[in-house]
Short mmCIF file of all heavy atoms in Angstrom, two decimals:
data_model
loop_
_atom_site.label_atom_id
_atom_site.label_comp_id
_atom_site.label_asym_id
_atom_site.label_seq_id
_atom_site.Cartn_x
_atom_site.Cartn_y
_atom_site.Cartn_z
N LEU A 1 12.47 -46.07 97.25
CA LEU A 1 12.18 -47.49 97.05
C LEU A 1 10.65 -47.61 97.11
O LEU A 1 10.03 -47.31 98.15
CB LEU A 1 12.83 -48.32 98.15
CG LEU A 1 12.63 -49.83 98.04
CD1 LEU A 1 13.32 -50.37 96.82
CD2 LEU A 1 13.20 -50.49 99.34
N VAL A 2 10.03 -48.05 96.04
CA VAL A 2 8.59 -48.03 95.89
C VAL A 2 8.08 -49.53 95.91
O VAL A 2 8.62 -50.36 95.21
CB VAL A 2 8.14 -47.34 94.57
CG1 VAL A 2 6.64 -47.53 94.32
CG2 VAL A 2 8.53 -45.86 94.60
N ASP A 3 7.07 -49.74 96.73
CA ASP A 3 6.47 -51.13 96.84
C ASP A 3 5.01 -50.99 96.46
O ASP A 3 4.17 -50.45 97.18
CB ASP A 3 6.62 -51.60 98.28
CG ASP A 3 6.22 -53.06 98.41
OD1 ASP A 3 5.55 -53.61 97.52
OD2 ASP A 3 6.55 -53.69 99.45
N PHE A 4 4.65 -51.53 95.26
CA PHE A 4 3.29 -51.50 94.82
C PHE A 4 2.40 -52.37 95.74
O PHE A 4 1.20 -52.04 95.94
CB PHE A 4 3.15 -51.99 93.41
CG PHE A 4 3.11 -50.91 92.36
CD1 PHE A 4 4.26 -50.39 91.84
CD2 PHE A 4 1.90 -50.43 91.93
CE1 PHE A 4 4.21 -49.39 90.86
CE2 PHE A 4 1.84 -49.40 90.99
CZ PHE A 4 3.00 -48.88 90.46
N ARG A 5 2.95 -53.40 96.29
CA ARG A 5 2.16 -54.35 97.13
C ARG A 5 1.64 -53.63 98.37
O ARG A 5 0.48 -53.72 98.71
CB ARG A 5 2.94 -55.59 97.48
CG ARG A 5 2.16 -56.64 98.30
CD ARG A 5 3.02 -57.84 98.47
NE ARG A 5 3.37 -58.48 97.21
CZ ARG A 5 4.23 -59.49 97.11
NH1 ARG A 5 4.74 -60.05 98.18
NH2 ARG A 5 4.50 -59.99 95.90
N SER A 6 2.51 -52.96 99.07
CA SER A 6 2.13 -52.26 100.30
C SER A 6 1.73 -50.84 100.10
O SER A 6 1.26 -50.17 100.99
CB SER A 6 3.29 -52.29 101.31
OG SER A 6 4.42 -51.50 100.79
N GLN A 7 1.88 -50.36 98.85
CA GLN A 7 1.61 -48.96 98.50
C GLN A 7 2.37 -47.97 99.40
O GLN A 7 1.83 -47.00 99.89
CB GLN A 7 0.12 -48.69 98.56
CG GLN A 7 -0.66 -49.35 97.46
CD GLN A 7 -0.42 -48.72 96.08
OE1 GLN A 7 -0.50 -47.53 95.89
NE2 GLN A 7 -0.11 -49.57 95.11
N HIS A 8 3.65 -48.35 99.58
CA HIS A 8 4.50 -47.49 100.48
C HIS A 8 5.82 -47.19 99.74
O HIS A 8 6.34 -48.02 99.00
CB HIS A 8 4.76 -48.27 101.79
CG HIS A 8 5.61 -47.52 102.74
ND1 HIS A 8 5.17 -46.40 103.44
CD2 HIS A 8 6.91 -47.70 103.11
CE1 HIS A 8 6.13 -45.93 104.19
NE2 HIS A 8 7.17 -46.70 104.03
N GLN A 9 6.33 -46.03 100.01
CA GLN A 9 7.64 -45.65 99.44
C GLN A 9 8.60 -45.19 100.58
O GLN A 9 8.15 -44.58 101.54
CB GLN A 9 7.53 -44.52 98.38
CG GLN A 9 7.06 -43.20 98.90
CD GLN A 9 6.97 -42.18 97.79
OE1 GLN A 9 6.87 -42.55 96.59
NE2 GLN A 9 6.98 -40.89 98.13
N THR A 10 9.90 -45.53 100.42
CA THR A 10 10.89 -45.22 101.41
C THR A 10 11.99 -44.42 100.79
O THR A 10 12.55 -44.81 99.71
CB THR A 10 11.47 -46.51 101.96
OG1 THR A 10 10.42 -47.36 102.48
CG2 THR A 10 12.46 -46.24 103.08
N PRO A 11 12.37 -43.28 101.36
CA PRO A 11 13.46 -42.51 100.81
C PRO A 11 14.79 -43.29 100.84
O PRO A 11 15.05 -44.04 101.81
CB PRO A 11 13.54 -41.27 101.72
CG PRO A 11 12.23 -41.20 102.38
CD PRO A 11 11.76 -42.60 102.54
N VAL A 12 15.59 -43.13 99.80
CA VAL A 12 16.94 -43.75 99.72
C VAL A 12 17.97 -42.64 99.71
O VAL A 12 17.98 -41.84 98.79
CB VAL A 12 17.05 -44.59 98.45
CG1 VAL A 12 18.45 -45.16 98.34
CG2 VAL A 12 16.01 -45.70 98.43
N GLY A 13 18.76 -42.56 100.81
CA GLY A 13 19.75 -41.50 100.89
C GLY A 13 19.10 -40.14 100.99
O GLY A 13 17.86 -40.02 101.31
N ARG A 14 19.86 -39.10 100.64
CA ARG A 14 19.30 -37.74 100.68
C ARG A 14 20.17 -36.81 99.82
O ARG A 14 21.27 -37.17 99.40
CB ARG A 14 19.27 -37.20 102.12
CG ARG A 14 20.66 -37.11 102.75
CD ARG A 14 20.55 -36.65 104.19
NE ARG A 14 21.88 -36.51 104.80
CZ ARG A 14 22.07 -36.14 106.06
NH1 ARG A 14 21.03 -35.87 106.84
NH2 ARG A 14 23.30 -36.04 106.55
N SER A 15 19.62 -35.62 99.55
CA SER A 15 20.31 -34.66 98.70
C SER A 15 21.47 -34.02 99.47
O SER A 15 21.29 -33.68 100.68
CB SER A 15 19.34 -33.56 98.22
OG SER A 15 19.96 -32.61 97.44
N GLY A 16 22.57 -33.91 98.84
CA GLY A 16 23.75 -33.32 99.47
C GLY A 16 25.03 -33.71 98.75
O GLY A 16 25.02 -34.29 97.68
N GLN A 17 26.21 -33.42 99.37
CA GLN A 17 27.47 -33.66 98.76
C GLN A 17 28.34 -34.63 99.59
O GLN A 17 29.47 -34.94 99.18
CB GLN A 17 28.22 -32.36 98.53
CG GLN A 17 27.52 -31.38 97.66
CD GLN A 17 28.34 -30.11 97.44
OE1 GLN A 17 29.52 -30.18 97.12
NE2 GLN A 17 27.73 -28.95 97.55
N GLY A 18 27.79 -35.10 100.72
CA GLY A 18 28.58 -35.97 101.55
C GLY A 18 28.36 -37.45 101.30
O GLY A 18 27.72 -37.81 100.33
N PRO A 19 28.89 -38.29 102.20
CA PRO A 19 28.69 -39.78 102.01
C PRO A 19 27.17 -40.08 102.07
O PRO A 19 26.45 -39.54 102.92
CB PRO A 19 29.42 -40.32 103.24
CG PRO A 19 30.40 -39.29 103.62
CD PRO A 19 29.76 -37.98 103.31
N GLY A 20 26.76 -40.95 101.19
CA GLY A 20 25.34 -41.33 101.14
C GLY A 20 24.42 -40.26 100.69
O GLY A 20 23.23 -40.29 100.91
N GLU A 21 24.99 -39.23 99.98
CA GLU A 21 24.20 -38.11 99.46
C GLU A 21 24.45 -37.93 98.01
O GLU A 21 25.46 -38.32 97.49
CB GLU A 21 24.51 -36.82 100.25
CG GLU A 21 24.17 -36.92 101.73
CD GLU A 21 24.59 -35.64 102.49
OE1 GLU A 21 25.47 -34.89 101.99
OE2 GLU A 21 23.99 -35.41 103.57
N TYR A 22 23.48 -37.31 97.34
CA TYR A 22 23.63 -37.05 95.88
C TYR A 22 23.17 -35.64 95.63
O TYR A 22 22.25 -35.10 96.26
CB TYR A 22 22.77 -38.02 95.12
CG TYR A 22 21.48 -38.45 95.75
CD1 TYR A 22 20.36 -37.57 95.73
CD2 TYR A 22 21.38 -39.64 96.43
CE1 TYR A 22 19.19 -37.93 96.35
CE2 TYR A 22 20.17 -39.97 97.10
CZ TYR A 22 19.12 -39.14 97.04
OH TYR A 22 17.92 -39.48 97.66
N GLN A 23 23.81 -34.97 94.61
CA GLN A 23 23.42 -33.60 94.27
C GLN A 23 22.28 -33.57 93.28
O GLN A 23 21.36 -32.79 93.43
CB GLN A 23 24.65 -32.86 93.66
CG GLN A 23 25.70 -32.55 94.73
CD GLN A 23 26.79 -31.67 94.11
OE1 GLN A 23 27.82 -32.14 93.68
NE2 GLN A 23 26.55 -30.38 94.11
N LEU A 24 22.33 -34.44 92.27
CA LEU A 24 21.26 -34.50 91.28
C LEU A 24 21.07 -35.96 90.84
O LEU A 24 21.82 -36.44 89.99
CB LEU A 24 21.56 -33.65 90.06
CG LEU A 24 20.46 -33.50 89.02
CD1 LEU A 24 19.26 -32.78 89.66
CD2 LEU A 24 20.95 -32.78 87.83
N PRO A 25 20.12 -36.70 91.44
CA PRO A 25 19.94 -38.10 91.10
C PRO A 25 19.46 -38.26 89.71
O PRO A 25 18.55 -37.63 89.22
CB PRO A 25 18.92 -38.58 92.14
CG PRO A 25 18.11 -37.39 92.46
CD PRO A 25 19.09 -36.21 92.40
N GLY A 26 20.14 -39.18 88.95
CA GLY A 26 19.78 -39.39 87.56
C GLY A 26 19.45 -40.81 87.23
O GLY A 26 18.54 -41.39 87.90
N ALA A 27 20.08 -41.41 86.26
CA ALA A 27 19.74 -42.76 85.81
C ALA A 27 20.02 -43.79 86.93
O ALA A 27 20.85 -43.60 87.82
CB ALA A 27 20.56 -43.11 84.58
N LEU A 28 19.25 -44.88 86.82
CA LEU A 28 19.38 -46.05 87.71
C LEU A 28 19.82 -47.23 86.85
O LEU A 28 19.05 -47.73 86.07
CB LEU A 28 18.09 -46.31 88.44
CG LEU A 28 17.60 -45.20 89.37
CD1 LEU A 28 16.11 -45.36 89.66
CD2 LEU A 28 18.39 -45.23 90.68
N LEU A 29 21.10 -47.64 86.96
CA LEU A 29 21.66 -48.65 86.10
C LEU A 29 21.73 -49.99 86.79
O LEU A 29 22.26 -50.09 87.92
CB LEU A 29 23.07 -48.20 85.64
CG LEU A 29 23.19 -46.79 85.06
CD1 LEU A 29 24.66 -46.55 84.68
CD2 LEU A 29 22.23 -46.60 83.91
N ALA A 30 21.17 -51.02 86.16
CA ALA A 30 21.21 -52.37 86.72
C ALA A 30 22.62 -52.89 86.66
O ALA A 30 23.24 -52.94 85.63
CB ALA A 30 20.27 -53.27 85.95
N ALA A 31 23.14 -53.34 87.84
CA ALA A 31 24.49 -53.87 87.96
C ALA A 31 24.46 -55.27 88.54
O ALA A 31 23.41 -55.72 89.04
CB ALA A 31 25.37 -52.92 88.84
N PRO A 32 25.56 -56.02 88.39
CA PRO A 32 25.59 -57.41 88.95
C PRO A 32 25.24 -57.46 90.41
O PRO A 32 25.44 -56.51 91.17
CB PRO A 32 27.01 -57.84 88.68
CG PRO A 32 27.50 -57.00 87.54
CD PRO A 32 26.84 -55.67 87.75
N GLY A 33 24.72 -58.60 90.82
CA GLY A 33 24.41 -58.85 92.21
C GLY A 33 23.20 -58.09 92.71
O GLY A 33 23.09 -57.75 93.90
N ASP A 34 22.25 -57.80 91.81
CA ASP A 34 21.04 -57.04 92.13
C ASP A 34 21.35 -55.67 92.68
O ASP A 34 20.55 -55.08 93.36
CB ASP A 34 20.19 -57.83 93.14
CG ASP A 34 19.63 -59.12 92.54
OD1 ASP A 34 19.55 -59.15 91.29
OD2 ASP A 34 19.30 -60.01 93.32
N THR A 35 22.56 -55.16 92.38
CA THR A 35 22.93 -53.80 92.79
C THR A 35 22.52 -52.82 91.70
O THR A 35 22.44 -53.14 90.55
CB THR A 35 24.48 -53.73 92.97
OG1 THR A 35 24.84 -54.62 94.00
CG2 THR A 35 24.92 -52.30 93.40
N THR A 36 22.21 -51.61 92.13
CA THR A 36 21.87 -50.56 91.21
C THR A 36 22.89 -49.42 91.37
O THR A 36 23.24 -49.05 92.49
CB THR A 36 20.45 -49.99 91.53
OG1 THR A 36 19.51 -51.05 91.41
CG2 THR A 36 20.08 -48.88 90.53
N LEU A 37 23.38 -48.89 90.28
CA LEU A 37 24.22 -47.75 90.29
C LEU A 37 23.39 -46.47 90.01
O LEU A 37 22.83 -46.34 88.93
CB LEU A 37 25.34 -47.83 89.28
CG LEU A 37 26.35 -48.99 89.44
CD1 LEU A 37 27.51 -48.84 88.42
CD2 LEU A 37 26.88 -49.04 90.84
N LEU A 38 23.34 -45.56 91.00
CA LEU A 38 22.69 -44.32 90.83
C LEU A 38 23.67 -43.31 90.27
O LEU A 38 24.74 -43.11 90.82
CB LEU A 38 22.12 -43.82 92.18
CG LEU A 38 21.66 -42.37 92.24
CD1 LEU A 38 20.43 -42.16 91.32
CD2 LEU A 38 21.37 -41.93 93.67
N VAL A 39 23.34 -42.65 89.15
CA VAL A 39 24.22 -41.71 88.51
C VAL A 39 24.00 -40.33 89.13
O VAL A 39 22.88 -39.84 89.18
CB VAL A 39 23.97 -41.64 86.99
CG1 VAL A 39 24.90 -40.62 86.37
CG2 VAL A 39 24.17 -43.00 86.37
N ASP A 40 25.10 -39.74 89.65
CA ASP A 40 25.08 -38.35 90.09
C ASP A 40 26.02 -37.60 89.22
O ASP A 40 27.21 -37.50 89.45
CB ASP A 40 25.55 -38.26 91.57
CG ASP A 40 25.37 -36.87 92.13
OD1 ASP A 40 25.00 -35.94 91.39
OD2 ASP A 40 25.66 -36.69 93.36
N LEU A 41 25.47 -37.03 88.12
CA LEU A 41 26.32 -36.42 87.10
C LEU A 41 27.00 -35.19 87.60
O LEU A 41 28.17 -34.90 87.23
CB LEU A 41 25.46 -36.06 85.85
CG LEU A 41 26.20 -35.43 84.65
CD1 LEU A 41 27.27 -36.41 84.16
CD2 LEU A 41 25.23 -35.12 83.55
N VAL A 42 26.40 -34.38 88.46
CA VAL A 42 26.97 -33.18 88.99
C VAL A 42 28.26 -33.49 89.73
O VAL A 42 29.29 -32.82 89.59
CB VAL A 42 25.98 -32.43 89.89
CG1 VAL A 42 26.63 -31.20 90.58
CG2 VAL A 42 24.79 -31.98 89.06
N SER A 43 28.25 -34.57 90.52
CA SER A 43 29.43 -34.97 91.31
C SER A 43 30.31 -35.93 90.53
O SER A 43 31.34 -36.35 91.10
CB SER A 43 28.98 -35.60 92.62
OG SER A 43 28.22 -34.70 93.42
N ARG A 44 29.92 -36.29 89.33
CA ARG A 44 30.71 -37.27 88.49
C ARG A 44 30.99 -38.52 89.29
O ARG A 44 32.16 -38.91 89.46
CB ARG A 44 32.01 -36.64 88.01
CG ARG A 44 31.82 -35.68 86.81
CD ARG A 44 33.16 -35.09 86.37
NE ARG A 44 34.19 -36.04 86.14
CZ ARG A 44 34.37 -36.68 84.99
NH1 ARG A 44 33.63 -36.41 83.94
NH2 ARG A 44 35.36 -37.58 84.88
N ARG A 45 29.94 -39.18 89.78
CA ARG A 45 30.10 -40.38 90.54
C ARG A 45 28.86 -41.23 90.51
O ARG A 45 27.78 -40.77 90.13
CB ARG A 45 30.52 -40.07 91.96
CG ARG A 45 29.45 -39.33 92.77
CD ARG A 45 29.93 -39.01 94.18
NE ARG A 45 28.87 -38.40 94.97
CZ ARG A 45 29.00 -38.07 96.24
NH1 ARG A 45 30.18 -38.26 96.85
NH2 ARG A 45 28.02 -37.49 96.94
N PHE A 46 29.06 -42.48 90.92
CA PHE A 46 27.93 -43.42 91.10
C PHE A 46 27.78 -43.72 92.59
O PHE A 46 28.75 -43.76 93.33
CB PHE A 46 28.19 -44.74 90.39
CG PHE A 46 28.43 -44.66 88.90
CD1 PHE A 46 29.73 -44.64 88.40
CD2 PHE A 46 27.37 -44.50 88.01
CE1 PHE A 46 29.96 -44.58 87.05
CE2 PHE A 46 27.59 -44.45 86.65
CZ PHE A 46 28.89 -44.47 86.15
N LEU A 47 26.55 -43.94 93.00
CA LEU A 47 26.28 -44.42 94.34
C LEU A 47 25.65 -45.81 94.22
O LEU A 47 24.69 -45.98 93.49
CB LEU A 47 25.35 -43.48 95.12
CG LEU A 47 25.94 -42.20 95.68
CD1 LEU A 47 26.16 -41.16 94.57
CD2 LEU A 47 25.07 -41.60 96.79
#
């Protein structure tokens, strides 16, 4: 999560195969309710 105003970035989740983890983070798809779907193609799932 990148903030140009504060010039600070915060990690979102981490690499892995468990809950809240992703193997290969890919596209970031805009979804309703200001939600973003992170594509993890290796695990065939969205976070």
Side-chain angles (χ1 to χ4, degrees):
L1 182 66
V2 171
D3 188 345
F4 262 88
R5 182 176 300 175
S6 66
Q7 290 290 309
H8 181 71
Q9 66 180 22
T10 305
V12 177
R14 62 183 181 180
S15 179
Q17 301 182 46
E21 297 177 338
Y22 35 78
Q23 288 186 266
L24 187 64
L28 296 161
L29 309 181
D34 294 337
T35 299
T36 302
L37 297 188
L38 168 66
V39 179
D40 186 356
L41 183 58
V42 173
S43 299
R44 281 179 52 88
R45 64 182 184 178
F46 303 100
L47 283 78

